[in-house]
Amino acid sequence: MQLPVQSQSTLYAEPWEAEAGPEDLLEIARAADRSGFAYLASCDHVGIPRRLAAAMSTIWYDPVATLSFLAAATERVRLLSHVAIVGLRHPLLTAKQYATLDHLSGGRLVLGVGAGHVQEEFEALGVDFHQRGAVLDECLDALRAALGPDEFPEHHGKLYDFEGLGQRPRPAQARVPLWVGGSSPAALRRAALKGDGWLPQGDPRDRLPGQIARIRELREQAGVRGPFTVGAITEPLYVGAPRWDVGRRTLSGGPQELAESLRAYRAMGVHQIQVRFRSRSRSELTHQMAAFGTEVAPLL
């Protein structure tokens, strides 16, 4: 699940999150660990321009700091950047930050990456917004090298060139999973050819099968082998019968009913689902998480 509180776009934030803070994040992370969730995710934005602030808000915690903070309070749940806009930073800097996070967490990092969409962020940091796809493509190659086993990683590309610079600690994992976010044709190609997984961005159920088929086709044509994780973001959920207006798109009901609906994702070829629960408080959210973990997840 995507963590609440750490990003508060009006598209999904609940009213109670506005007054929430570190203690709330800690308790939610601990609840995810107890309830058997596969990962917790944190978003990435450096700065939000005034023209977008009303819709996106300016509350976007740094993912490396946030996930590191929560790593010490959890034991098994994995830590996902969903998604890190890695093109805003030199890949050696990104590798240093996330390799340290993987080392400190005992190998629980999943590095989710995306191209980004806020032009002013790129301009402020001196990165060409219109070339962000090409920048991300090379960043993926550079990160694959820099997060690998070599103490002195090496990469020679059009934008980045490095060798002979040692970086320790190395990641705890032999291979840090790189999941690529986005649903455009370019993002699908990038995920299929350069990633270990795909994180769709808002694809509804009826669009997912075609997207998944396209990824498979691209991998087959290029002869790409190895494990590949297909993800999906579900509709908002509420376990049980809500006594308040949870919105018409929200899936609600008993465990069997919810599980039957969610199993449709597996039938499409999805391997992992990212869920979000409607809630009016932190306690209601953690109760929802516990109910999902004990009553719904075993049926999946």
Side-chain angles (χ1 to χ4, degrees):
M1 63 177 283
Q2 185 84 249
L3 282 160
V5 181
Q6 53 79 38
S7 69
Q8 296 192 29
S9 166
T10 58
L11 290 175
Y12 49 74
E14 301 284 10
W16 65 267
E17 295 178 49
E19 302 301 321
E23 286 300 320
D24 300 282
L25 281 170
L26 282 172
E27 183 50 41
I28 292 160
R30 290 171 179 141
D33 219 29
R34 291 192 303 268
S35 301
F37 281 69
Y39 65 71
L40 294 169
S42 181
C43 302
D44 182 25
H45 277 291
V46 172
I48 306 301
R50 290 184 186 276
R51 69 179 177 88
L52 297 174
M56 292 181 65
S57 92
T58 58
I59 300 175
W60 296 83
Y61 288 34
D62 178 78
V64 177
T66 303
L67 295 174
S68 298
F69 174 63
L70 299 178
T74 54
E75 295 180 356
R76 51 155 301 280
V77 69
R78 293 181 72 90
L79 308 161
L80 167 68
S81 57
H82 188 181
V83 287
I85 308 172
V86 293
L88 293 176
R89 306 164 182 90
H90 193 287
L92 276 180
L93 173 59
T94 299
K96 167 59 73 175
Q97 293 174 314
Y98 282 101
T100 303
L101 170 55
D102 194 62
H103 176 79
L104 292 173
S105 67
R108 289 190 278 146
L109 171 67
V110 180
L111 182 52
V113 304
H117 67 95
V118 179
Q119 184 167 349
E120 290 91 334
E121 274 185 311
F122 285 78
E123 292 171 348
L125 296 173
V127 182
D128 189 341
F129 176 76
H130 300 291
Q131 293 298 314
R132 65 193 185 281
V135 171
L136 177 54
D137 283 338
E138 186 170 333
C139 274
L140 279 163
D141 295 335
L143 285 169
R144 188 71 80 187
L147 291 171
D150 294 337
E151 179 182 352
F152 293 87
E154 184 174 339
H155 171 80
H156 303 287
K158 294 181 179 179
L159 301 170
Y160 306 108
D161 191 285
F162 55 83
E163 66 176 312
L165 293 170
Q167 287 192 330
R168 294 182 70 183
R170 304 307 303 154
Q173 298 178 88
R175 182 182 175 96
V176 172
L178 294 178
W179 291 359
V180 177
S183 296
S184 68
L188 290 184
R189 176 174 292 277
R190 187 174 296 120
L193 302 184
K194 294 180 177 290
D196 301 307
W198 175 52
L199 294 164
Q201 200 68 30
D203 287 274
R205 292 192 186 206
D206 60 357
R207 193 177 178 213
L208 276 171
Q211 298 279 72
I212 295 169
R214 178 58 177 157
I215 288 175
R216 288 174 176 164
E217 178 186 31
L218 287 165
R219 287 174 67 81
E220 288 172 5
Q221 288 175 350
V224 179
R225 300 287 183 265
F228 189 86
T229 302
V230 173
I233 301 174
T234 75
E235 302 84 352
L237 304 177
Y238 194 90
V239 184
R243 298 181 180 178
W244 57 288
D245 182 8
V246 294
R248 63 180 183 83
R249 288 191 62 251
T250 299
L251 299 177
S252 63
Q256 291 283 357
E257 185 179 359
L258 288 177
E260 182 179 358
S261 178
L262 294 174
R263 280 195 294 265
Y265 284 102
R266 183 175 64 189
M268 298 176 198
V270 170
H271 303 114
Q272 63 89 6
I273 52 172
Q274 185 175 122
V275 296
R276 179 170 67 87
F277 303 97
R278 295 302 317 276
S279 62
R280 294 165 292 178
S281 65
R282 184 187 83 187
S283 62
E284 185 169 29
L285 173 59
T286 55
H287 280 111
Q288 282 286 303
M289 292 168 64
F292 187 88
T294 58
E295 301 172 23
V296 181
L299 303 178
L300 301 178

